[in-house]
Amino acid sequence: MGKGGALSDGVIKKIILSYTYVAIWIFLSFTVIVYNKYILDKKMYNWPFPITLTMIHMAFCSSLAVLLIKVFKVVEPVSMSRETYLRSVVPIGALYSLSLWLSNSAYIYLSVSFIQMLKALMPVAVYSIGVLLKKESFRSETMTNMLSISFGVAIAAYGEAKFDTWGVMLQLGAVAFEATRLVLIQILLTSKGINLNPITSLYYVAPCCLGFLFFPWIFVELPVLRETSSFHFDFVVFGTNSVCAFALNLAVFLLVGKTSALTMNVAGVVKDWLLIAFSWSVIKDTVTPLNLFGYGLAFLGVAYYNHCKLQALKAKEAQKKVQQGGDEEAAGKLLEVRESEGGGKRDDAED
């Protein structure tokens, strides 16, 4: 009875912790997206400098990552040669900087709800680029599902009340760069046995992003900032925004580390629907029935894609267990043979 009670308490505690991690990640992801929209939107805080905002985030995250790894030693740095850094981390950093720049720029032109709908194309981009780079194998069933997701997003875009071509191009570009980055992480890092958690990823990638963003910032935003003499740096707004951005990375570390990447995908779907509801009810963005119908189709396609990935993962794990079981059985038989041979020799010696 005691053991059963202890087990039940442990299971309940684990469930509560899992839901807590999910809630924290959803809250922080939700907050960062809405906060970035508030800062960049010309109708709100009216500070349309996405490169500068991204650079502030990267500088802040780089500094805290260095403190956590070098000073407080919360996590251990990954052993990496200079050649590996230049060939693997630098390209990923370049793609990440472009992805962040374009995605933050999209908030100036598009509503939060519509941006979330366009982000449903991420699995399509990741799978397509994976096939092109021979990381994924082409399957007609999967590609059909990708086309259904694209069709749903196209319907949502057709039904968008405040469609902006330039904003859509920026967001689609951000999706393409981010998808390429995710595929290259598997090719350039994971395949070499280099696994970066969100903290070590910031430690290596954030300074690289800062360097790449510096050059377009000099020509695109710095001249405009110089002309804006009335602007003063609000430490409260940009400080809290940067803290939220860094806390989100820590939340990712907790969520994936304590649950799974699939849990994060499911939580992401919940977050997207919450953002759409918030955008419609609080920010007063227009969300049309055609928007919701199209996104609903895309959502079903994404849900099916996640389901297929989960089934494939389970099958892979089951195959590993079978192989391990077979290896253990073979090892057991070999041990039995050796023991019988050893026993026979011992009997001969005794005789």
Side-chain angles (χ1 to χ4, degrees):
M1 185 73 179
K3 287 183 178 179
L7 182 62
S8 299
D9 291 342
V11 170
I12 291 170
K13 185 179 179 182
K14 188 176 180 181
I15 291 171
I16 291 172
L17 281 174
S18 296
Y19 277 107
T20 302
Y21 295 136
V22 168
I24 291 171
W25 179 81
I26 288 176
F27 172 76
L28 287 170
S29 182
F30 183 99
T31 302
V32 169
I33 289 170
V34 174
Y35 210 159
N36 287 351
K37 172 67 175 176
Y38 166 75
I39 291 173
L40 295 165
D41 197 304
K42 294 178 181 179
K43 295 178 182 177
M44 298 182 191
Y45 190 75
N46 190 23
W47 199 73
F49 301 104
I51 304 177
T52 311
L53 182 64
T54 307
M55 288 179 71
I56 292 169
H57 288 172
M58 291 297 101
F60 185 83
C61 290
S62 297
S63 303
L64 283 187
V66 170
L67 285 174
L68 288 174
I69 291 176
K70 292 294 186 180
V71 179
F72 298 107
K73 300 188 185 300
V74 175
V75 292
E76 289 293 325
V78 176
S79 178
M80 188 184 304
S81 66
R82 184 178 179 181
E83 184 182 1
T84 302
Y85 182 83
L86 292 173
R87 290 188 176 182
S88 301
V89 176
V90 170
I92 290 168
L95 290 167
Y96 193 38
S97 62
L98 288 168
S99 171
L100 291 173
W101 173 12
L102 296 185
S103 62
N104 281 334
S105 298
Y107 287 115
I108 301 172
Y109 305 96
L110 304 175
S111 66
V112 170
S113 57
F114 187 42
I115 286 174
Q116 300 314 119
M117 294 176 190
L118 291 174
K119 284 181 180 179
L121 288 170
M122 184 61 74
V124 180
V126 170
Y127 178 73
S128 301
I129 292 168
V131 170
L132 287 173
L133 298 180
K134 298 182 179 180
K135 187 63 183 176
E136 294 274 357
S137 55
F138 179 84
R139 291 185 175 87
S140 55
E141 182 185 358
T142 306
M143 186 53 73
T144 302
N145 186 37
M146 296 298 109
L147 290 174
S148 71
I149 295 172
S150 303
F151 181 65
V153 173
I155 292 174
Y158 183 76
E160 176 60 21
K162 297 178 180 178
F163 186 90
D164 186 282
T165 304
W166 179 241
V168 171
M169 288 175 64
L170 287 170
Q171 185 55 48
L172 293 180
V175 168
F177 283 124
E178 178 64 10
T180 307
R181 183 184 76 90
L182 293 174
V183 174
L184 284 186
I185 284 174
Q186 296 179 351
I187 296 172
L188 299 177
L189 294 178
T190 309
S191 62
K192 297 177 181 178
I194 302 172
N195 294 308
L196 300 177
N197 62 50
I199 299 175
T200 53
S201 179
L202 285 175
Y203 177 75
Y204 290 107
V205 177
C208 188
C209 288
L210 196 60
F212 276 111
L213 290 169
F214 181 74
F215 295 102
W217 177 74
I218 291 174
F219 299 104
V220 177
E221 292 187 2
L222 181 58
V224 184
L225 282 168
R226 281 177 175 171
E227 291 176 5
T228 314
S229 56
S230 59
F231 172 74
H232 68 281
F233 190 85
D234 193 329
F235 285 96
V236 175
V237 171
F238 294 103
T240 52
N241 181 247
S242 298
V243 168
C244 288
F246 185 79
L248 177 59
N249 282 279
L250 294 182
V252 171
F253 178 63
L254 283 173
L255 185 62
V256 176
K258 301 296 182 181
T259 56
S260 66
L262 183 68
T263 303
M264 186 175 169
N265 286 338
V266 175
V269 171
V270 175
K271 178 209 68 180
D272 290 343
W273 282 109
L274 287 173
L275 279 166
I276 291 170
F278 181 85
S279 178
W280 170 73
S281 61
V282 178
I283 305 178
K284 302 301 180 183
D285 287 329
T286 303
V287 179
T288 66
L290 203 56
N291 274 148
L292 294 176
F293 176 72
Y295 183 64
L297 286 178
F299 162 74
L300 291 175
V302 172
Y304 179 70
Y305 175 75
N306 286 334
H307 171 73
C308 291
K309 294 290 281 186
L310 177 62
Q311 295 303 315
L313 186 63
K314 284 182 177 179
K316 195 173 182 179
E317 288 178 352
Q319 189 176 5
K320 280 184 180 179
K321 287 181 180 178
V322 169
Q323 288 176 349
Q324 288 174 356
D327 292 341
E328 288 173 3
E329 186 178 352
K333 287 181 179 179
L334 182 62
L335 185 62
E336 286 177 8
V337 170
R338 287 179 176 175
E339 285 180 349
S340 63
E341 289 177 352
K345 288 179 180 178
R346 280 193 299 273
D347 290 341
D348 292 340
E350 285 172 3
D351 290 342

